[in-house]
């Protein structure tokens, strides 16, 4: 009897252990999957779940979001972090409405041409929404493949062409099965083959993992430093945006001045928000979320 492949073992585990997440439901649809993938970038699942539900309740289609103001997308984004994602998602919805009759395209090149959609997101939508055979590679998949196949502690900070090739080599030929394998690899990397304290004893590949067989060698090179938040411009930007999200009318500068005591950093953060298109300055030293063209 031939040995079970990496994909077969991962899929069998996934079928029995996968988290029940709404974007994995068969009726989720391509738009919902696209929204989830954008929200999940650098944001934990537990924080995404309520925002995802609220977003789709308000904008169940790309056309619905495109018809609203970009500032409303920023308002609904709340405290998910990295709010430029909300702006890019609004631009993406507008492009889908204008170029593709409101339907998320199923062609990889057309997905990659959408605003704010990169290599990972395009392949994730193609695989998870349309059942295509695509190597879907994020930090969790890079780590899982690096350990299971290459015997390395980590897959690096960014996705390289070699990572796509290595992951594609593990995918079954049947597109729908390959898409299932992609989801399984991602889930294993997220909940079992984690960066710190991996749960090797419950991994379906524990007996064939190259990293474990090599004695679980440590990361070769400097480890990643945790990102700080307190006292950074990111924190100040978040505080400023929080005031604007709650406001019904344009906000005068004095109301923004009270959120952070250091004026140089506060002004720099506000300028950055304006430059990024997240805030519109108005005459009279007033500020608001963007209204669009």
């Amino acid at each position: 009897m031939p040995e079970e492949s990496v994909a077969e073992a991962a899929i069998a585990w996934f079928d029995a252990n996968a988290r029940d997440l709404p974007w994995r439901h068969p009726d989720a649809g391509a738009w919902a999957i696209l929204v989830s993938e954008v929200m999940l970038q650098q944001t934990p699942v537990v924080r995404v779940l309520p925002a995802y539900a609220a977003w789709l309740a308000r904008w169940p289609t790309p056309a619905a979001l495109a018809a609203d103001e970009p500032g409303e997308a920023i308002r609904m984004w709340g405290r998910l972090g990295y709010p430029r994602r909300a702006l890019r998602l609004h631009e993406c919805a507008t492009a889908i409405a204008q170029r593709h009759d409101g339907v998320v395209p199923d062609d990889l090149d057309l997905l990659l041409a959408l605003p704010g959609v990169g290599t990972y997101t395009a392949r994730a939508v193609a695989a998870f929404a349309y059942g295509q055979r695509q190597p879907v590679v994020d930090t969790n998949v890079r780590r899982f493949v690096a350990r299971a196949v290459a015997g390395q502690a980590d897959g690096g900070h960014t996705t390289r062409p070699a990572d796509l090739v290595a992951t594609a080599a593990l995918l079954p030929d049947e597109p729908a099965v390959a898409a299932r394998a992609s989801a399984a690899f991602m889930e294993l990397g997220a909940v079992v083959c984690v960066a710190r304290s991996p749960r090797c004893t419950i991994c379906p590949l524990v007996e064939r993992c190259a990293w474990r067989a090599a004695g679980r060698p440590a990361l070769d090179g400097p480890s990643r430093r945790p990102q700080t938040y307190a006292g950074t411009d990111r924190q100040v930007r978040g505080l400023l945006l929080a005031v604007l999200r709650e406001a019904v009318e344009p906000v005068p500068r004095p109301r923004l001045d009270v959120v952070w005591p250091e004026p140089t950093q506060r002004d720099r953060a506000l300028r950055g928000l304006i430059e990024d298109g997240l805030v519109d300055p108005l005459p009279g030293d007033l500020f608001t979320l963007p209204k669009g063209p």
Side-chain angles (χ1 to χ4, degrees):
M1 183 175 179
E3 183 182 21
E4 187 178 45
S5 71
V6 170
E8 288 170 335
I11 290 171
W13 175 89
F14 184 73
D15 288 344
N17 298 282
R19 292 169 291 176
D20 181 19
L21 300 174
W23 45 86
R24 290 177 176 166
H25 294 178
D27 60 350
W31 170 240
I33 290 171
L34 174 57
V35 169
S36 75
E37 291 297 342
V38 174
M39 287 186 169
L40 287 164
Q41 294 167 15
Q42 299 180 288
T43 306
V45 167
V46 67
R47 291 180 58 201
V48 167
L49 284 169
Y52 167 88
W55 188 280
L56 289 176
R58 180 167 179 177
W59 300 304
T61 65
L65 175 57
D68 215 334
E69 296 176 347
E72 289 306 301
I74 298 169
R75 196 186 311 277
M76 282 290 290
W77 198 256
R79 295 185 176 274
L80 280 181
Y82 303 98
R84 276 178 289 186
R85 290 181 294 171
L87 212 53
R88 299 292 88 80
L89 196 47
H90 185 276
E91 293 171 0
C92 181
T94 301
I96 292 170
Q98 293 177 347
R99 303 176 195 168
H100 306 292
D101 296 324
V103 178
V104 177
D106 60 1
D107 178 81
L108 182 62
D109 289 335
L110 293 178
L111 286 165
L112 287 167
L114 294 173
V117 174
T119 297
Y120 164 78
T121 303
R123 284 175 167 80
V125 172
F128 303 147
Y130 294 114
Q132 296 180 15
R133 186 183 186 277
Q134 297 286 351
V136 184
V137 182
D138 67 354
T139 184
N140 292 319
V141 174
R142 287 197 306 271
R143 182 174 55 254
F144 168 74
V145 174
R147 287 177 177 172
V149 178
Q152 300 170 351
D154 194 72
H157 301 324
T158 59
T159 298
R160 304 158 298 173
D163 298 316
L164 297 175
V165 172
T167 304
L170 300 176
L171 297 178
D173 292 335
E174 175 62 35
V177 181
R180 191 74 173 166
S182 290
F185 295 164
M186 189 171 300
E187 186 79 341
L188 277 167
V191 303
V192 175
C193 194
V194 294
R196 298 177 182 175
S197 303
R199 305 164 67 196
C200 296
T201 57
I202 66 168
C203 179
L205 298 170
V206 63
E207 298 300 331
R208 60 191 297 177
C209 174
W211 183 59
R212 187 172 179 272
R216 294 178 35 157
L219 180 66
D220 183 17
S223 59
R224 302 180 193 179
R225 296 180 179 179
Q227 290 184 339
T228 59
Y229 182 73
T232 64
D233 283 7
R234 275 189 60 214
Q235 183 184 16
V236 183
R237 285 163 61 102
L239 293 170
L240 293 169
L241 273 182
V243 174
L244 292 162
R245 281 198 307 269
E246 296 298 325
V248 177
E249 300 293 335
V251 175
R253 185 182 289 271
R255 280 185 58 194
L256 297 177
D257 288 346
V258 300
V259 305
W260 196 256
E262 207 288 301
T264 301
Q265 186 178 23
R266 185 181 63 236
D267 290 346
R268 181 173 66 242
L270 182 57
R271 285 197 306 272
L273 290 170
I274 294 170
E275 291 168 0
D276 289 342
L278 294 167
V279 173
D280 279 352
L282 301 177
D285 221 14
L286 299 173
F287 302 88
T288 185
L289 296 177
K291 301 294 185 183

